[in-house]
Amino acid sequence: MKYKVLLLNPIAFDETAFIRVGRCQTKTQPGIECWPPIDLALIGSSLKQLKDLSEIRLYDGQIRQKYQAMLENIAIYAPDIVILNCSTPTFHSDIKLAQQIKKLKTHSFIIFFGLHATARPIEILESSVVDCCIIGEPEDAIQSVVEKYIETKKPKFNEINNIAYLSKEGKIKESKITKENSRIFLSHKPDRSLINNNYYKLHYNNKPFTIIQTSRGCSNKCIYCTSPVYSSRYSTRSVDSVVQEIEECIEKHKIFNFMFLSDTFTTDRKWVEDFCNRLIQMGSNISWMSNSRIDKIDYPLAKIMKMAGCRIVSLGIESADDNILKKAGKNITNKQIKQAVTDLYRAKIQTIGYFMFGLPGESKESMKMSIEFSQSLPLDYAYFYNATPFPGTALYNLAEKKHWLITHDWRQYTHGEKPLLNYETLSAAEIGKAIRTAYRKFYYRPKRIIKQLLQIHSLKILSNNIKAAIKLLRK
């Protein structure tokens, strides 16, 4: 028998688009509306090595953004195996979708991976419509599960590490959990032939872009971060493999804009220097963005990144209050933040600052301090998020213990969108109000507006900026 596999990046039941790549679980946002589902393309690349698969198809619900159209497409394709990334805010929608898939084809074998599948596999399997959950980095376990399934239909999944599954008798079982890094992530490139590469565009230049994952894991222990939940140890691809993927994107897909996705791109300074030197030697005319920890960037490194084509770097600033940063396990200071942003500004790299309101120890005074701090820094963009206590994180466990959570409804857990923590001295409503104030004070300064207008070079980019401004006004 030949099996058909569907790699599914679904639109939510209410037709909201979510970014689910890796450990992301947020709604589409100004700047980059939709991300290419590169995690699914990597899984597709690994599955093509297996026998007895007649076809592998990737369906991205973001493109049409119609739930009914997605169901019709699934019904026509009639997949034997369905694989999707289940995030915390889409949990209910994903379970409903799994139920509908089972109605369309009773014997479809459904695999969930991603952060919620890692943190809450039992909750997912209790629905009885999902057959297997992958815990942690997904590629190796998914390849093993699919291989076993097509060999024996109902195999002994206990032989495969890092999964939870329904047994033949319908009982929930968990296999051995290991700390191994994904072999496939380190050795394979995503199969971009599965993706409509021209669909994904940057707002600031309206050009196609793609994502290249360079590393996973982080040695730091920030209490709100999901990295330790998903990737327990730091691992990085070779410079050669990343450069080869860039060259393939340029030659095959005519893509020259890249987002280098990692928990912290600048963790290994030598790797970054070697990588940038390779790009400079190639003379490739690419533009790229990445992230960095505050304490992992300085002017010399920023300068070589700029020479290699780096256009934007995002920084997790979180707060202007050193005590809050310390309690959150961030291990950076106000002084270091100023220096990092200044170094990037000197290197002429645009900077995005991410702020998080509502961490333990937050107060009206500290939020006001962060708002004023954001305006004092030479940032090009700023995002102000509510602290979201995702299940599996130290923040969630602490909030549960201290009774700070205002809801356990996962639909409310979209990253940064809503205040979910209520403190004795600071309410969720006060946190939400401070975020709205922060956006208005940062973005609606006259100098900021003039600077933004000077960067508009086409009607399409103007339209993108207007849409982004409307979204900000609604916050």
Side-chain angles (χ1 to χ4, degrees):
M1 178 180 175
K2 296 288 185 178
Y3 293 85
K4 293 191 292 185
V5 174
L6 178 63
L7 304 166
L8 184 57
N9 189 35
I11 192 79
F13 181 71
D14 62 358
E15 300 188 339
T16 300
F18 278 81
I19 296 171
R20 308 181 187 217
V21 178
R23 59 185 185 87
C24 298
Q25 37 191 351
T26 184
K27 290 180 182 177
T28 56
Q29 54 189 290
I32 303 174
E33 276 296 310
C34 296
W35 293 12
I38 214 69
D39 51 349
L40 293 175
L42 180 58
I43 291 167
S45 173
S46 70
L47 295 182
K48 283 193 172 181
Q49 299 180 1
L50 303 181
K51 299 177 181 178
D52 296 321
L53 291 181
S54 62
E55 187 178 356
I56 299 172
R57 184 178 295 183
L58 193 156
Y59 183 90
D60 188 355
Q62 296 177 103
I63 294 178
R64 292 184 66 183
Q65 297 195 352
K66 297 294 181 184
Y67 190 84
Q68 191 57 40
M70 179 177 67
L71 289 180
E72 290 169 2
N73 189 282
I74 294 170
I76 293 168
Y77 183 53
D80 302 293
I81 300 168
V82 179
I83 302 168
L84 68 85
N85 184 330
C86 177
S87 73
T88 298
T90 63
F91 162 73
H92 291 283
S93 180
D94 293 341
I95 292 296
K96 184 177 180 65
L97 177 58
Q99 292 169 339
Q100 291 172 313
I101 291 171
K102 290 287 189 181
K103 287 179 182 178
L104 294 171
K105 188 170 182 179
T106 307
H107 299 296
S108 284
F109 186 80
I110 299 178
I111 301 171
F112 277 15
F113 70 98
L115 270 173
H116 205 73
T118 297
R120 289 287 189 273
I122 306 304
E123 178 181 39
I124 290 171
L125 294 171
E126 283 174 344
S127 68
S128 299
V129 291
V130 177
D131 299 282
C132 181
C133 283
I134 309 300
I135 299 171
E137 296 182 61
E139 297 86 11
D140 297 48
I142 287 177
Q143 187 186 64
S144 296
V145 167
V146 172
E147 185 174 28
K148 288 283 187 183
Y149 181 75
I150 61 181
E151 283 176 359
T152 57
K153 203 74 186 281
K154 283 290 184 180
K156 294 180 179 179
F157 284 139
N158 62 302
E159 298 173 358
I160 302 169
N161 293 334
N162 304 315
I163 64 170
Y165 60 96
L166 292 177
S167 69
K168 291 180 182 178
E169 300 76 32
K171 294 183 179 179
I172 297 173
K173 295 192 174 183
E174 290 185 272
S175 68
K176 181 181 177 182
I177 306 301
T178 69
K179 301 295 184 182
E180 297 171 2
N181 294 119
S182 169
R183 170 187 56 82
I184 290 170
F185 167 66
L186 295 174
S187 61
H188 283 59
K189 294 193 295 291
D191 183 356
R192 285 184 172 79
S193 68
L194 295 168
I195 297 175
N196 178 359
N197 293 281
N198 290 321
Y199 174 76
Y200 309 96
K201 295 185 178 181
L202 298 167
H203 271 196
Y204 68 80
N205 63 11
N206 202 42
K207 293 180 180 179
F209 87 104
T210 195
I211 290 169
I212 294 181
Q213 292 183 304
T214 60
S215 66
R216 287 179 180 170
C218 181
S219 60
N220 295 283
K221 305 295 181 185
C222 303
I223 64 172
Y224 53 83
C225 186
T226 55
S227 177
V229 180
Y230 199 63
S231 306
S232 57
R233 296 187 302 180
Y234 175 75
S235 64
T236 184
R237 295 172 57 191
S238 69
V239 169
D240 282 344
S241 70
V242 176
V243 170
Q244 287 167 12
E245 189 172 341
I246 291 170
E247 291 175 330
E248 181 182 282
C249 290
I250 293 171
E251 292 166 10
K252 287 188 177 181
H253 307 292
K254 310 303 178 190
I255 297 174
F256 295 87
N257 291 269
F258 298 89
M259 175 192 291
F260 295 135
L261 187 64
S262 59
D263 291 310
T264 304
F265 178 75
T266 54
T267 292
D268 184 340
R269 186 187 186 95
K270 186 178 185 306
W271 188 98
V272 177
E273 290 173 342
D274 290 347
F275 174 65
C276 289
N277 282 323
R278 281 286 297 277
L279 293 180
I280 293 167
Q281 290 165 11
M282 287 165 54
S284 59
N285 186 28
I286 68 168
S287 177
W288 52 275
M289 64 184 76
S290 68
N291 66 2
S292 176
R293 268 184 59 91
I294 290 293
D295 55 0
K296 294 291 184 179
I297 192 75
D298 55 30
Y299 180 67
L301 188 60
K303 189 176 179 180
I304 192 173
M305 288 167 64
K306 175 67 176 180
M307 291 170 62
C310 180
R311 177 186 171 89
I312 300 173
V313 168
S314 60
L315 300 169
I317 295 172
E318 322 312 357
S319 176
D321 189 313
D322 285 352
N323 290 325
I324 291 173
L325 292 169
K326 186 176 181 180
K327 285 182 180 179
K330 190 71 180 177
N331 295 324
I332 59 172
T333 65
N334 187 295
K335 183 179 178 181
Q336 288 174 305
I337 294 167
K338 290 177 183 177
Q339 188 61 56
V341 178
T342 300
D343 286 342
L344 287 163
Y345 178 77
R346 284 178 61 207
K348 295 182 171 57
I349 293 176
Q350 292 189 29
T351 312
I352 303 172
Y354 289 95
F355 294 81
M356 189 176 294
F357 287 12
L359 288 166
E362 192 79 272
S363 66
K364 288 182 180 180
E365 291 73 24
S366 63
M367 291 189 294
K368 182 181 178 183
M369 188 191 308
S370 292
I371 293 171
E372 292 172 352
F373 189 47
S374 71
Q375 296 171 68
S376 72
L377 297 170
L379 293 169
D380 294 276
Y381 306 94
Y383 287 97
F384 302 90
Y385 288 148
N386 289 282
T388 305
F390 285 115
T393 64
L395 179 58
Y396 180 87
N397 296 335
L398 180 63
E400 188 89 293
K401 180 181 177 181
K402 297 282 190 178
H403 305 290
W404 293 336
L405 295 174
I406 63 173
T407 181
H408 289 86
D409 180 357
W410 301 133
R411 286 166 291 201
Q412 308 301 314
Y413 280 63
T414 298
H415 175 58
E417 186 177 71
K418 295 182 179 180
L420 300 171
L421 299 166
N422 207 45
Y423 298 103
E424 293 85 353
T425 56
L426 187 70
S427 70
E430 288 170 322
I431 296 169
K433 182 180 178 181
I435 285 179
R436 291 189 293 274
T437 299
Y439 271 112
R440 284 165 172 77
K441 288 199 171 184
F442 184 88
Y443 281 100
Y444 298 117
R445 293 171 289 165
K447 285 185 179 179
R448 163 75 201 175
I449 293 170
I450 292 169
K451 181 179 179 181
Q452 195 70 18
L453 289 172
L454 290 173
Q455 295 174 354
I456 295 172
H457 304 296
S458 73
L459 289 175
K460 180 62 178 175
I461 296 172
L462 174 61
S463 173
N464 290 341
N465 276 269
I466 291 171
K467 288 177 183 177
I470 291 170
K471 283 192 174 183
L472 290 173
L473 280 169
R474 289 173 177 169
K475 287 186 177 290

